[in-house]
Amino acid sequence: MATAHDGRTAGHDSRRELLDGLRALLGAARVLVEPEDTRPYECDGLTLFRQLPMAVVLPESEGEIVAIVALCRRLQVPVVPRGAGTGLSGGALPRGDGVLLSTAKLDRLLALDPLARTATVQPGVRNLAISEAAAAHGLLYAPDPSSQVACTIGGNVAENSGGVHCLKYGLTVHNVLRVRGVTMDGEIVELGGHAPDAPGLDLLALAIGSEGMLLVVTEVTVRLVPVPQFARCIVASFPDVESAGNAVAALIAAGLVPAGLEMLDRAAARLVEPHAKAGYDLDAAAVLLCESDGTPVEVEEEIARMSAVLREAGATRLQVSRDEAERQRFWAGRKNAFPAAGRAAPAYYCMDGTIPRRHLGAMLKSIQALEAKYDLRVPNVFHAGDGNLHPLILFDDADPDSVRRAEALGDEILAECVRLGGTVTGEHGVGVEKLDAACAQFDADTLDAFRSIKRAFDPTGLLNPGKAIPTLHRCAELGRLRVSGGVPPFPDLPRF
Amino acid sequence: MNDAGAVVDELAERIRAAAAARTPLEIRGGGTKAFYGNPPAGEPFPTTGLAGAVAYEPSELVVTVRAGTPLAELEALLASRDQMLAFEPPHFGAGATVGGCVAAGLAGPRRASAGFAYGGVRDFVLGAKLLDGRGRTLSFGGTVMKNVAGYDVSRALAGSLGVLGVILEVSLKVLPRPPVETTLVFEFDEATALARACAWGARPLPISATAWHDGCLRLRLSGAPAAVGAARRVLGGEAISTPADASYWRQLREQQLPFFAGATALWRVAVPPTAPPLEFGDATLIEWGGAQRWVRTAAPAERVRERVARLGGHATLFRAQDRSSGAFTPLAPALLAIHRRLKAEFDPAGVLNPGRLYAEF
Ligand SMILES: Cc1cc2nc3c(=O)[nH]c(=O)nc-3n(C[C@H](O)[C@H](O)[C@H](O)COP(=O)(O)OP(=O)(O)OC[C@H]3O[C@@H](n4cnc5c(N)ncnc54)[C@H](O)[C@@H]3O)c2cc1C
């Protein structure tokens, strides 16, 4: 059954038919075709990959999405959904033979129920806008990606985004109750619901993190949680990266679940300090940010326990936020890491592997060795509590050799993550960027099962084709397919 | 593990043979949840040969166990390191296995929590190995907290009742046991209990379970001593002593309270917590801050389901003599089509627990 959509090019006539059809549905103003209009959509946050779409459409309702999907299905044109375009793996990368469907005009908050503690929003609503609306009721939407001022809830659902507070409060998948959307065969489906669960298989779990390949999300109901009464943050300095890594494991082993637990190595701390003025110890090999939230008494008790564990683990200095302004300043440093990397080099490449926490120190050591090997700087910021790494590889995108070295270095980091029992992506998605890396993580049967899921939701294969799940051919070409049980999978498959 | 490998090979061989002969198989752990879902049918296919923990890293908050491991054994292992399964699963019998626990997807009283700290079974599944209807071993997710490579199939196995495949092994996130737990009791009628539970849920209080029946609302608080103490002062109510409260929540979880005795059909109603008191049934027991309600009624299934649908929820015929009306609320046609296609992909011959979730597949 050949369903994967591969490089079908719309002929001149069908292109005309498509554009006429889209204009009839939306009016000319919401169908962008000229390169100067579609240029802003040519890439997402991963600027290494660029492609102009055949057209960009800006629907204003679910009904319009159903009609767009029906037209594209009839003409066999791929559809790529897009939120704010802050994705870091090329998930919203357009196709030259496809339509880019932007949710920019679907940005209304539909309902907020403070008693049920839920908010129902359109997919183009920004992450932070939900918490801003909920603040009046003492509630917030917990997952807080650093991009939260810009990224949309539709994008968060597609990537299963996390934030610095997800150790205690969970990822997108733990905080979304219901997703409504349109499948490529034009059906409106509701996954999950306002009740704590829904009948049948948990399709909501499959949809979250599906990188826009299973359905176009048209509505999301999220769970809101009470705003913690009080919070304090410790910044702990460590003389070497291993002891910082071990401190993370020690905190968890002591039964503590910090509200946030993040790490910056010296290079990262020095990168952010001039701009964020966070007050980090710039002589430390690594600093850990460790937050406690709750009632004031609870926080005092927890901060004392955390401090003891951190000291025991070898922290040479502890700064505990004295007031809310200082706490915000501590976090501003961490949240400014990406922009600071952007200022420090012509380009940076953000990696996103996850490893078991106990290997953090060793992993940092390996990255230091790779810096030397490839002659590139790699400051590190980690969602340490979750073992999620964001090494920022600084390089020069105008220099092909520098680009090549950056990619090779990144590949080595991801391979190490898989070797340590982790994953090639913790929260940014596979997109187009990590298709090769995914070959190394999954065996052929499991990749085939992923394609089964894609087919079950999208028999047409037209929704965001070519992302997230590598083809067996691609993996075979790379010679990277994970070998299970000593037998290379598909030994007969031709390798080009 | 070579032994485990051999067991899996044997199971895979049996599935391939069953698929070729179109012989339905009834996947069976301890058999403690055979009452749940549509009646099982087919040749017994035991998972009990797949026993034991594969890896336990307390400092990673992760445990990986084979599906046939007794749930009680896993809980004892975690307790030895002061950790626990945060979804507080019901056993419903001595032989309950981890695989059955995940496949049934049932969570206990702790699901009530307002924050993320606790949740449903799927919220704690990090990875799984699955033997599908073609006899292939598939490996989803992993042992790390954050992982977005590939679709999140392992979470979707929670509550799948074996229709996609035989769970061989699961990796679960575990949590430290709260240092202190206290139960408060309030005399409230149903409407007041619902209103209070919702209002308290919107405040940052360490509530880890709620239960209302027979004019009494019980509230369990879990956490650090300071947090529990402070919440007690805010909430008032009367505290009951620790041993009595622990056994109360266990009896509730295992459905051993008097409410659960008797022959009238038992319905599990899942609704938004703000839904008003249900105006049907002989008796109601309310958990999860109002979101899970147990109802005893002999009313016809369609009537129960129609009323619950109007409240934005769904109703499961949980325990009954006659399950001919289907245990679960029927799916909308578009969703049913996706379910059928998933079943056809994972189990083309339709031999794994056919009909257990829905008669259609
Ligand atoms: C500076 C910076 C910091 C970041 N920090 C974090 C962080 O802390 N944590 C984190 O997890 N991520 C982070 N990200 C990554 C990114 O912000 C998230 O992945 C975010 O969820 C993407 O949202 P978006 O609206 O920009 O989606 P886009 O980039 O537009 O799209 C992302 C994916 O979602 C799909 N999609 C979008 N809308 C829909 C829809 N309505 N229906 C179906 N599919 C849809 C797209 O097809 C694509 O596959 C960061 C990015 C930047 C640039």
Side-chain angles (χ1 to χ4, degrees):
Chain A
M1 184 164 47
T3 49
H5 186 91
D6 267 317
R8 242 168 272 175
T9 42
H12 187 73
D13 286 349
S14 54
R15 179 172 187 272
R16 155 114 275 140
E17 196 181 347
L18 174 75
L19 298 182
D20 287 349
L22 291 172
R23 288 189 185 110
L25 289 173
L26 306 175
R30 290 193 284 124
V31 181
L32 313 180
V33 180
E34 297 307 323
E36 66 261 34
D37 297 327
T38 58
R39 183 81 59 203
Y41 300 89
E42 69 177 350
C43 65
D44 62 9
L46 180 73
T47 53
L48 279 172
F49 296 82
R50 292 170 198 266
Q51 170 68 53
L52 287 177
M54 194 150 59
V56 174
V57 291
L58 298 159
E60 282 175 350
S61 69
E62 184 181 78
E64 288 184 350
I65 293 179
V66 171
I68 293 165
V69 160
L71 179 68
C72 290
R73 189 177 61 246
R74 185 164 63 76
L75 300 176
Q76 290 287 294
V77 173
V79 174
V80 176
R82 175 184 168 109
T86 67
L88 291 172
S89 56
L93 180 73
R95 290 177 61 107
D97 61 350
V99 165
L100 186 86
L101 188 158
S102 162
T103 60
K105 290 192 182 293
L106 293 159
D107 63 349
R108 276 183 304 128
L109 189 137
L110 301 172
L112 197 154
D113 184 341
L115 267 189
R117 283 165 274 134
T118 59
T120 298
V121 300
Q122 290 188 315
V125 167
R126 290 173 307 112
N127 172 297
L128 187 61
I130 303 176
S131 288
E132 284 170 351
H137 306 283
L139 299 169
L140 64 81
Y141 175 61
D144 57 345
S146 306
S147 52
Q148 69 181 152
V149 287
C151 65
T152 67
I153 192 71
N156 292 175
V157 165
E159 303 290 7
N160 190 16
S161 302
V164 295
H165 290 102
C166 60
L167 176 60
K168 182 163 173 185
Y169 293 97
L171 303 160
T172 303
V173 68
H174 301 113
N175 288 279
V176 164
L177 294 172
R178 166 183 165 271
V179 160
R180 182 177 158 105
V182 179
T183 60
M184 204 58 211
D185 49 13
E187 298 283 355
I188 293 172
V189 292
E190 296 234 2
L191 314 179
H194 292 272
D197 42 45
L201 295 169
D202 190 351
L203 302 186
L204 183 62
L206 293 179
I208 294 176
S210 66
E211 305 200 21
M213 295 175 70
L214 302 185
L215 74 169
V216 181
V217 174
T218 56
E219 230 176 82
V220 181
T221 301
V222 301
R223 204 160 67 100
L224 303 172
V225 296
V227 177
Q229 210 180 330
F230 184 62
R232 289 185 83 187
C233 181
I234 306 173
V235 180
S237 309
F238 288 88
D240 54 81
V241 290
E242 283 101 331
S243 54
N246 296 339
V248 171
L251 283 164
I252 308 285
L256 290 156
V257 183
L261 186 54
E262 300 280 314
M263 189 195 295
L264 294 86
D265 69 2
R266 182 187 289 134
R270 290 191 173 174
L271 215 55
V272 300
E273 192 56 33
H275 306 279
K277 310 247 179 320
Y280 296 155
D281 177 353
L282 301 182
D283 296 321
V287 292
L288 265 188
L289 274 70
C290 178
E291 180 151 290
S292 166
D293 68 11
T295 60
V297 211
E298 203 181 342
V299 170
E300 288 326 311
E301 199 177 77
E302 201 170 56
I303 288 282
R305 286 184 64 203
M306 288 169 169
S307 301
V309 176
L310 290 166
R311 272 204 203 86
E312 176 73 16
T316 48
R317 184 176 157 202
L318 298 182
Q319 297 165 264
V320 185
S321 62
R322 280 157 298 190
D323 51 33
E324 187 56 19
E326 189 171 37
R327 189 183 74 89
Q328 295 288 354
R329 234 177 7 257
F330 286 169
W331 282 111
R334 167 62 187 88
K335 292 207 174 190
N336 268 298
F338 292 7
R343 281 186 297 263
Y348 74 92
Y349 190 26
C350 173
M351 309 308 295
D352 174 44
T354 303
I355 55 171
R357 282 177 283 246
R358 63 187 180 283
H359 298 310
L360 280 174
M363 186 73 196
L364 272 164
K365 280 276 174 218
S366 327
I367 293 174
Q368 281 171 359
L370 291 171
E371 286 187 281
K373 175 170 171 191
Y374 289 100
D375 190 24
L376 291 171
R377 282 163 62 209
V378 188
N380 283 288
V381 291
F382 289 177
H383 298 299
D386 297 311
N388 185 197
L389 323 170
H390 290 327
L392 301 167
I393 305 173
L394 307 183
F395 69 105
D396 180 357
D397 53 352
D399 170 5
D401 184 58
S402 177
V403 174
R404 190 193 53 74
R405 279 181 287 134
E407 288 181 333
L409 200 168
D411 281 351
E412 287 211 37
I413 293 178
L414 295 186
E416 183 67 4
C417 290
V418 174
R419 202 186 62 78
L420 292 173
T423 175
V424 298
T425 174
E427 59 180 13
H428 294 165
V430 171
V432 291
E433 180 208 16
K434 287 181 283 272
L435 285 170
D436 291 347
C439 292
Q441 188 171 332
F442 298 108
D443 60 38
D445 284 343
T446 302
L447 286 172
D448 196 47
F450 290 147
R451 275 186 289 275
S452 288
I453 287 163
K454 168 70 170 161
R455 276 194 296 269
F457 278 82
D458 175 18
T460 71
L462 289 167
L463 189 59
N464 211 5
K467 308 284 172 65
I469 313 298
T471 60
L472 278 184
H473 252 71
R474 182 184 188 112
C475 296
E477 264 175 66
L478 272 171
R480 265 208 194 157
L481 208 50
R482 191 184 179 93
V483 174
S484 48
V487 188
F490 297 92
D492 309 332
L493 212 67
R495 312 208 174 201
F496 311 108
Chain B
M1 296 255 161
N2 281 334
D3 294 7
V7 174
V8 172
D9 288 346
E10 238 168 75
L11 295 179
E13 196 39 58
R14 221 187 131 196
I15 287 183
R16 280 189 287 264
R22 309 254 153 189
T23 311
L25 299 175
E26 183 215 336
I27 308 167
R28 202 178 173 87
T32 55
K33 293 167 189 80
F35 71 87
Y36 180 62
N38 295 324
E43 282 181 11
F45 186 87
T47 62
T48 35
L50 296 159
V54 178
Y56 177 33
E57 292 289 344
S59 77
E60 298 286 339
L61 302 180
V62 179
V63 67
T64 301
V65 273
R66 296 199 184 88
T69 310
L71 190 52
E73 200 178 298
L74 172 61
E75 288 178 335
L77 174 69
L78 300 177
S80 73
R81 304 301 295 263
D82 235 1
Q83 296 186 335
M84 64 176 188
L85 294 174
F87 45 92
E88 207 176 6
H91 292 224
F92 295 143
T97 63
V98 176
C101 157
V102 172
L106 299 170
R110 211 174 290 277
R111 176 77 168 82
S113 145
F116 156 66
Y118 311 124
V121 181
R122 58 93 94 156
D123 293 310
F124 294 91
V125 177
L126 298 175
K129 284 206 168 78
L130 186 75
L131 187 58
D132 77 358
R134 303 172 201 239
R136 304 181 302 181
T137 298
L138 310 172
S139 188
F140 302 110
T143 60
V144 289
M145 296 295 139
K146 286 166 86 176
N147 183 358
V148 294
Y151 302 120
D152 205 346
V153 183
S154 48
R155 285 189 205 283
L157 296 176
S160 66
L161 284 180
V163 302
L164 297 181
V166 181
I167 298 171
L168 297 174
E169 190 179 297
V170 280
S171 296
L172 298 169
K173 179 181 176 184
V174 300
L175 282 185
R177 288 216 287 196
V180 180
E181 298 209 308
T182 304
T183 299
L184 303 177
V185 187
F186 302 84
E187 273 181 34
F188 285 153
D189 63 20
E190 186 176 359
T192 311
L194 282 169
R196 287 298 174 83
C198 266
W200 286 332
R203 293 168 57 184
L205 296 164
I207 297 172
S208 67
T210 73
W212 178 89
H213 57 98
D214 300 309
C216 261
L217 175 68
R218 287 179 178 77
L219 213 63
R220 185 175 63 188
L221 304 172
S222 306
V228 171
R232 263 189 71 173
R233 284 188 292 281
V234 171
L235 291 165
E238 198 184 309
I240 53 180
S241 72
T242 311
D245 95 45
S247 75
Y248 171 80
W249 295 108
R250 192 173 50 249
Q251 285 173 343
L252 171 64
R253 185 190 78 192
E254 299 301 333
Q255 301 194 335
Q256 290 162 346
L257 295 174
F259 172 89
F260 294 100
T264 316
L266 175 69
W267 286 84
R268 173 183 181 264
V269 172
V271 282
T274 45
L278 306 175
E279 277 161 356
F280 62 90
D282 309 339
T284 306
L285 186 153
I286 304 175
E287 286 190 86
W288 300 2
Q292 172 168 270
R293 304 187 193 183
W294 301 98
V295 182
R296 315 230 48 156
T297 178
E302 311 80 72
R303 265 219 4 248
V304 173
R305 293 201 160 116
E306 189 222 320
R307 300 184 77 146
V308 174
R310 267 189 270 141
L311 298 171
H314 64 100
T316 302
L317 186 53
F318 201 81
R319 285 181 198 266
Q321 304 286 318
D322 174 13
R323 288 183 264 172
S324 58
S325 55
F328 302 103
T329 295
L331 298 170
L335 283 185
L336 179 60
I338 295 175
H339 277 74
R340 284 182 134 146
R341 290 197 292 260
L342 280 171
K343 177 70 172 172
E345 293 277 356
F346 281 84
D347 178 19
V351 292
L352 301 177
N353 280 2
R356 188 79 195 270
L357 203 50
Y358 288 96
E360 291 89 341
F361 58 88

